[in-house]
Amino acid sequence: MKQKKFVLTENEMPTQWYNIVADMKNKPLPPLNPATKEPLNPADLEPIFAKGLIQQEISQEKWIEIPEEVQDLYKIYRPTPLVRAYGLEKALDTPAKIYFKNESVSPVGSHKLNSAIPQAYYNKMEGIKRITTETGAGQWGTALSFACKLFGIDLSIFMVKVSYEQKPYRKSMMNTWGAQVVASPSTLTESGRKILAENPNSSGSLGIAISEAVEMAAKDPDTRYALGSVLNHVILHQTIIGLEAEKQMEMAGDFPDVVIGCFGGGSNFSGIAFPFLRHTLEEGKKLKVIAAEPSSCPKLTRGVFQYDFGDTVGLTPLLPMYTLGHNFQPADIHAGGLRYHGAGSIVSQLVKDHFVVAEDVPQLETFEAGTLFARTEGIIPAPESTHAIAVAIREALRAKEEGVEKTILFNLSGHGLIDMASYDQYFAGKLQNYSVSAETIADNVSKLEHLAEKF
Ligand SMILES: *Cc1c(COP(=O)(O)O)cnc(C)c1O
């Protein structure tokens, strides 16, 4: 019998997260204070983030202990399985071996819980009573709702309006776990009111929702803000994915030639990729690492490397990133979690230094890939995850053309069971591809100050 699943016991679960910054020769550029344009003093972040998370944000230590309480809660769904996708391989008639790490088994249906649990934990340790956050497709909001409930913290969520309308069951899930959810842009914050005054029909964006959540946290001393992607501490937490996968690939007697993750702000991608990339940084191991992004929001393939805000209104520190400009309004694609204008600063530096490459995928190709995956492997993937599947399929077909064996690993970041309306529209032929004109990108990024050159 061929072995399909590689499963770790709870005792084999990693007890430390991996901080790739320790191994990077070119460190990410520092975040800047938006007022002075000088490197940020970490204490400036204290009104917004829990101190334990700020420490992780700036840490250069290679291995960071996972608190025992967090390890225990991870065991609700971790370790997650690594699966050999024999069905998909057969359908593609490829000589490539395809493995995927199945993060869809978490109770909220995605990898987001890997960071939601430690974020709620560090806030609880500091006596924080309430957290505010944004959510795009609703995955981060659901994850943080459950995590905050586990620690008895109140949670207010700004949900991007297009997803609020497309994915009503996500809101029901957040409510089940006890969180409050409003559609963003809302009239609850100055940021939301400003956007609505400019465009009453705004369908919202992650950037706008972040502005609203940060504003609300900054105004209350017992409230902190939590972000589900982009930042270094989020990426750190997600390395549990790749650290487990590394052990599981060992069980399978393999090491990947290609590692793929879909890319919103970079957390699940970094989570699967960085523990493998460690071997490239440490030993020069050859590895192709691909970030899969939507053609409608192509920050890595077509954006610029520059300092930009993490939000639309400009309340966050300036971060060094590949960006389409913080005013970029992505098309209303169904992969709501990938509709973000920028990339995290660690990944951006790694792209700049050619350790990571990016490929963009049009919407119809992603649903085609997702459907083939569902029909061969049984799991209906989240529209975000279908981007990784599409690129894995491209790689497998390249291997077939070239007649070479190749080991491909991708992260299945979540399932799509709450996204069936998107599949319905795909089957009804109602979905389309969106492209972004060069003028739109040039116009948006022309508004950025040229600050990266200073460092
Ligand atoms: C949020 C989300 C993403 C995108 O976010 P990253 O931080 O880039 O990982 C991808 N897949 C799923 C299922 C998500 O929920």
Side-chain angles (χ1 to χ4, degrees):
M1 268 303 280
K2 298 185 287 189
Q3 188 172 355
K4 179 148 181 82
K5 267 215 261 21
F6 301 88
V7 183
L8 299 173
T9 65
E10 287 183 2
N11 292 335
E12 291 169 312
M13 199 176 81
T15 57
Q16 297 174 316
W17 291 300
Y18 169 59
N19 181 10
I20 197 170
V21 175
D23 286 330
M24 289 167 69
K25 214 162 77 205
N26 298 332
K27 307 290 182 201
L29 303 183
L32 303 183
N33 180 315
T36 63
K37 313 275 161 75
E38 293 300 323
L40 190 75
N41 175 355
D44 295 348
L45 294 173
E46 287 177 13
I48 298 178
F49 290 110
K51 290 194 197 78
L53 297 169
I54 298 173
Q55 263 171 26
Q56 293 180 349
E57 189 63 24
I58 58 175
S59 172
Q60 309 238 341
E61 248 171 78
K62 184 160 174 162
W63 299 102
I64 294 178
E65 222 49 53
I66 305 176
E68 249 173 60
E69 200 173 346
V70 172
Q71 290 187 40
D72 282 345
L73 291 169
Y74 272 172
K75 286 173 188 164
I76 294 174
Y77 61 101
R78 306 207 71 86
T80 65
L82 178 85
V83 183
R84 173 87 183 263
Y86 286 113
L88 182 61
E89 287 172 18
K90 188 158 171 248
L92 297 171
D93 187 25
T94 173
K97 298 184 210 169
I98 306 176
Y99 293 88
F100 64 92
K101 178 71 167 157
N102 186 1
E103 291 296 305
S104 80
V105 298
S106 95
V108 302
S110 79
H111 70 285
K112 295 282 195 328
L113 202 49
N114 299 334
S115 186
I117 290 172
Q119 289 199 46
Y121 167 85
Y122 288 107
N123 275 285
K124 183 69 182 181
M125 290 301 105
E126 288 165 33
I128 298 305
K129 303 278 189 296
R130 182 168 72 145
I131 293 179
T132 64
T133 198
E134 77 296 325
T135 194
Q139 300 264 24
W140 170 243
T142 49
L144 195 59
S145 301
F146 177 43
C148 282
K149 186 49 73 187
L150 290 171
F151 288 100
I153 299 172
D154 288 338
L155 177 63
S156 299
I157 301 172
F158 292 90
M159 182 169 187
V160 177
K161 192 184 279 166
V162 54
S163 296
Y164 187 90
E165 285 159 2
Q166 277 175 351
K167 302 182 180 189
Y169 290 134
R170 283 275 163 208
K171 174 174 170 287
S172 316
M173 292 169 77
M174 294 181 239
N175 292 150
T176 302
W177 283 309
Q180 292 170 2
V181 189
V182 293
S184 166
S186 79
T187 53
L188 297 183
T189 63
E190 273 172 45
S191 307
R193 290 192 291 271
K194 177 165 176 269
I195 299 287
L196 288 171
E198 287 162 12
N199 177 10
N201 297 322
S202 166
S203 57
S205 70
L206 275 173
I208 295 169
I210 294 171
S211 298
E212 294 207 87
V214 169
E215 181 188 322
M216 190 176 257
K219 283 181 176 159
D220 177 359
D222 289 331
T223 300
R224 293 290 180 277
Y225 163 71
L227 185 62
S229 183
V230 180
L231 295 178
N232 302 351
H233 65 269
V234 184
I235 277 154
L236 175 77
H237 302 153
Q238 294 295 352
T239 58
I240 187 82
I241 302 172
L243 292 167
E244 284 181 6
E246 192 186 351
K247 291 189 171 191
Q248 290 162 310
M249 289 298 292
E250 221 169 274
M251 286 168 78
D254 260 328
F255 192 89
D257 300 300
V258 187
V259 180
I260 302 163
C262 68
F263 201 96
S267 76
N268 92 87
F269 166 79
S270 306
I272 186 89
F274 287 1
F276 291 97
L277 209 44
R278 173 168 77 89
H279 296 275
T280 304
L281 298 176
E282 276 182 353
E283 312 140 29
K285 191 139 189 146
K286 220 173 143 253
L287 183 66
K288 184 173 181 188
V289 182
I290 313 176
E293 65 180 7
S295 299
S296 56
C297 195
K299 60 222 156 212
L300 294 175
T301 47
R302 296 175 63 199
V304 295
F305 181 81
Q306 199 43 269
Y307 272 97
D308 197 2
F309 293 106
D311 68 325
T312 302
V313 174
L315 303 178
T316 69
L318 286 158
L319 300 173
M321 51 162 77
Y322 276 92
T323 179
L324 295 163
H326 58 275
N327 286 317
F328 182 76
Q329 263 294 335
D332 294 345
I333 55 163
H334 285 267
L338 307 186
R339 293 173 79 246
Y340 185 67
H341 66 273
S345 24
I346 299 176
V347 180
S348 292
Q349 188 64 44
L350 291 168
V351 169
K352 193 156 175 277
D353 293 339
H354 308 291
F355 287 107
V356 170
V357 294
E359 285 188 29
D360 69 307
V361 193
Q363 179 160 255
L364 293 177
E365 185 182 338
T366 68
F367 275 91
E368 189 188 340
T371 305
L372 178 64
F373 183 77
R375 289 177 183 175
T376 52
E377 295 297 324
I379 304 166
I380 300 178
E384 290 83 4
S385 316
T386 61
H387 290 70
I389 300 170
V391 170
I393 291 174
R394 286 180 184 177
E395 281 292 318
L397 293 177
R398 261 173 228 150
K400 180 174 162 182
E401 251 172 57
E402 295 161 6
V404 292
E405 279 195 23
K406 198 190 300 186
T407 301
I408 301 168
L409 168 66
F410 72 86
N411 190 41
L412 182 72
S413 54
H415 69 65
L417 296 180
I418 322 292
D419 303 286
M420 294 317 296
S422 320
Y423 280 87
D424 280 346
Q425 288 191 20
Y426 171 64
F427 296 134
K430 288 186 184 149
L431 293 191
Q432 61 180 102
N433 289 331
Y434 296 93
S435 57
V436 187
S437 74
E439 293 76 52
T440 303
I441 295 176
D443 185 44
N444 258 294
V445 300
S446 71
K447 298 189 181 103
L448 300 175
E449 285 182 70
H450 292 257
L451 295 169
E453 287 79 354
K454 277 201 343 190
F455 293 90

